[in-house]
Amino acid sequence: MKAILCLAASTFALTACSYSASGPASNRSIDRAGLVAAGDIDATGSAEYAGMFVDAGGNIDRDLSLAGANVVSDARVGGDLSMEGARIRFTGRVDGNTEVAGATMYLNGYFGGRMEVMGARATIDGDVLGELEAIGARFNLQGRFASPVRVVGGGREGRNGRIVISGALEQGGYICASQVDIRRNAQISGPLTIIAEDRPDWDGSYDFEALNGRDCEHLSRG
């Protein structure tokens, strides 16, 4: 597989693929880089993938870092996960914290720690045990969120985005966006504050404040 990927990279006259492992067997870290950085690995330490196209799987005992234009992973990560890319899809497991920055993101897995997401569009599904902090133009919260969420809508020229809640917010949280939609299948417990242009059509208990054209990012910093 490594030879095939390197051949593809050389065909496009880009930097050759590289693979390196360092450290003792009990804490061995692995790096993959090239036009295509892909493959399942078993790393007793940390791992890093970087390339135009990144596809990472396997078991990483410590931290995993992924960076590329198109990032796909179903890895099982014992430490923290960091991902950057234009298009990101993660369907694995993270025992530590998760940080994601991208244009379009689909996150559906087990996330044991705190999650931070920044980007244009994101669907977040699965189980998120730690606090969620997210800033972006459009988010769909489909999963189970065991800790409070803090979601801030963003966008160009003062637009504050749209947030859709179709999952379970077990500890409530804070949501600010131009439009907040709460679907019928949503389950919300705990104190929830919503700041939006219009009150969501939902019968549950929450605190509402009219946005009145203000900027959510400025409000959140205040």
Side-chain angles (χ1 to χ4, degrees), residues 69-194:
N70 190 78
V71 177
V72 177
S73 177
D74 62 355
R76 294 164 295 281
V77 184
D80 297 337
L81 171 67
S82 173
M83 295 188 292
E84 296 181 5
R87 295 176 61 88
I88 294 173
R89 180 182 180 87
F90 183 83
T91 54
R93 176 187 176 99
V94 184
D95 291 338
N97 299 322
T98 300
E99 294 185 5
V100 189
T104 302
M105 295 159 280
Y106 177 75
L107 311 173
N108 185 356
Y110 174 93
F111 304 93
R114 178 182 176 85
M115 175 183 283
E116 296 182 10
V117 180
M118 179 177 291
R121 294 172 175 264
T123 295
I124 306 175
D125 207 336
D127 291 304
V128 181
L129 302 191
E131 294 183 356
L132 168 68
E133 182 166 347
I135 300 177
R138 186 183 180 97
F139 284 107
N140 190 344
L141 307 183
Q142 294 184 349
R144 181 179 74 92
F145 300 87
S147 299
V149 305
R150 183 176 180 84
V151 185
V152 177
R156 295 181 180 177
E157 301 174 356
R159 295 194 296 270
N160 290 288
R162 180 189 182 200
I163 310 300
V164 177
I165 303 170
S166 56
L169 307 185
E170 296 183 347
Q171 298 295 327
Y174 169 94
I175 297 174
C176 180
S178 291
Q179 182 178 353
V180 178
D181 294 334
I182 304 177
R183 299 293 168 81
R184 292 183 178 179
N185 58 331
Q187 302 175 30
I188 301 177
S189 304
L192 175 65
T193 297
I194 294 177

